Amino acid sequence: MKTKGTHNYYIYILTNRIKTVLYTGVTNNLKERLYFHKNPETFSKAFTSKYKCFHLIYYEHFFEIEDAIKREKQIKGWSREKKNNLISSINPKWSFLDDTI
């Protein structure tokens, strides 16, 4: 049984170099997950590989996986404009945050 408040989960948004594609995901290890997005298996058909979404531009931290999954689903259901506004509220220049994790 896990101790409440001792686990870390993240929802995150990645984009490509020219910031035209967005990918939203959830993980319990953001740094490791970014590594796997940037280093996909050869001939990977994953969305992030196909569209080269390797750059972190937004993330949120949660202690409960249920909360993180709920938030991920919420964001995935939003329009592009609403996602853009969310990202810009925290990261107005849409700077790549990869090296800050």
Side-chain angles (χ1 to χ4, degrees):
M1 180 177 194
K2 69 179 183 175
T3 305
K4 188 165 180 70
T6 60
H7 293 356
N8 295 300
Y9 303 96
Y10 301 88
I11 62 96
Y12 59 96
I13 301 176
L14 303 178
T15 192
N16 58 346
R17 186 182 53 79
I18 57 175
K19 302 173 184 173
T20 56
V21 180
L22 296 178
Y23 171 83
T24 304
V26 65
T27 185
N28 67 340
N29 187 330
L30 188 54
K31 191 171 192 165
E32 181 178 276
R33 190 71 185 111
L34 290 173
Y35 173 83
F36 286 115
H37 280 300
K38 289 180 182 183
N39 300 282
E41 292 183 15
T42 307
F43 305 112
S44 174
K45 294 184 180 182
F47 181 91
T48 55
S49 293
K50 182 176 179 181
Y51 294 99
K52 301 190 183 333
C53 293
F54 307 133
H55 304 287
L56 180 68
I57 53 172
Y58 182 85
Y59 66 95
E60 293 178 21
H61 176 251
F62 296 87
F63 292 111
E64 300 295 330
I65 187 61
E66 297 83 5
D67 296 334
I69 291 170
K70 182 178 175 183
R71 180 66 167 160
E72 177 198 25
K73 288 179 181 181
Q74 178 186 42
I75 292 171
K76 283 185 172 186
W78 287 356
S79 67
R80 173 64 189 245
E81 180 181 8
K82 194 166 182 178
K83 292 175 190 178
N84 289 352
N85 291 337
L86 175 67
I87 296 161
S88 295
S89 71
I90 302 298
N91 186 0
K93 294 183 180 180
W94 285 43
S95 302
F96 297 151
L97 305 173
D98 311 43
D99 293 334
T100 66
I101 300 302

